[in-house]
Amino acid sequence: MKNFEFHVPTDVLFGRNQESNLPDKLKGLGKKILMTYGGGSIKRSGLYDKLKELLKDFEIFELGGIEPNPRVSTVNRGVEICKKEGIDLILAVGGGSTIDCSKAMAAGAYYDGDAWDLVTGKASIESALPLAVVLTIAATGSEMDCAAVISNEETKEKLLMGHPLLLPRVSVLNPENTFSVPAYQTAAGAVDMMSHILESYFDQEEAFVPDAISEGLLRTVIKYAPIALKKPDNYEARAQLMWTSSLALNGLVTTGKNFMWSCHYIEHELSAHYDITHGAGLAMLTPKWMRYVLSDKTVDKFYTYAVNVWGVTPSDDKFAVANAGINATEEFFRSIGMPMTLDEFGIDDSKFEEMAEKAVVVGHLDGAYVPLSEKDVVEILRMCR
């Protein structure tokens, strides 16, 4: 295992009616709150009115309509509100997109230029407004990490930014707030959290403890995602998925390992150009990547994955077992309603080379679990046709 530092000071309030504790948790952070959210789901569910009543002693400003792939133009709108109104803290009510966008706003509030400078690294993050979260979908884990993914609609770029200052101070995780999440988004969220785990699980470092945790978390998603899809108001299923989402990306499963991912950076190019749902893109890509990188060097890890996660019967034929695990992964994604081909997204091959070039550079894929060149990424994308 590699050396590591693990420090995640987010105050997590998990369970029913935990929103009621927000006023006490936020009162030391200021009086002026910018409440951010996406579409109208929090109003239809009643969560919006509930929060407004709970926070009636605060001065609330709002920014709604945050996109599923949050845009830097929206970040800049939020930054403008923060500066104009003297906002003290941001309350992100929603999923990963809203939280990520809010993280970028929190940093941008202390920067005089375009927030995109903070995403690209042209400018450094020196300070940030405190951020609180009320989570409404289990997926990205952004409620308990310090990273954000922001898109630039003009340049067709989707990039990762991160800083310890962006870690939420408080995150309310009430599984009941995910009951109304549509089936497609529930399934895509399940894939996203599985992908976060898999990206760290398949690594060049031997790290038994985080890998054992990863295997347990993966089995949790496999067990409870179908239940949540069949019975959207099943509290236990929603609770298990919500906590798995947080643990998948709070650094726990990456302890002692490298942080060199593959599928995410390829998918970021797809969703940057075609604005597809992130988890759905990962569902399509992940089994193809698995098949592409399976070799004499990686077969032992895929064998262990197949046996410990999917319950494939051990055999002397390691490749047969490994492939059975990959097939089980793909079949699971298909069974929960995820697209498995680019044709299902309406995407052709016209931008394969462009996307491959960017994915390799931005993701440093030459240092991934299995190093990937532009040619390799193009081939993986072709396997998705």
Side-chain angles (χ1 to χ4, degrees), residues 199 260-267 289 359 363 365 368-370 372:
E199 296 272 33
M260 301 300 296
W261 291 9
S262 300
C263 292
H264 264 71
Y265 288 103
I266 302 173
E267 198 292 320
W289 169 83
L365 298 187
Y369 171 59
V370 173
L372 299 176

Side-chain angles (χ1 to χ4, degrees), residues 67-71 151 156 158 267-278 345 347:
E67 307 84 6
N69 289 301
R71 300 172 181 174
S151 296
K156 300 299 182 183
K158 184 175 181 179
E267 198 292 320
H268 282 175
E269 294 306 309
L270 282 169
S271 51
H273 282 82
Y274 298 101
D275 203 28
I276 66 174
T277 299
H278 178 56
F345 289 109
I347 298 174

Side-chain angles (χ1 to χ4, degrees), residues 32 76 88 93 102 148 195 236 312 314 335:
K32 290 188 174 183
N76 284 322
D88 296 314
V93 186
S102 300
S195 181
E236 194 61 30
V312 177
S335 73

Side-chain angles (χ1 to χ4, degrees), residues 289-296 298-299 302 319 322-323 326 370:
W289 169 83
M290 288 178 165
R291 292 193 179 97
Y292 191 80
V293 303
L294 180 62
S295 69
D296 290 335
T298 64
V299 67
F302 278 99
F319 277 94
N323 276 304
I326 296 172
V370 173

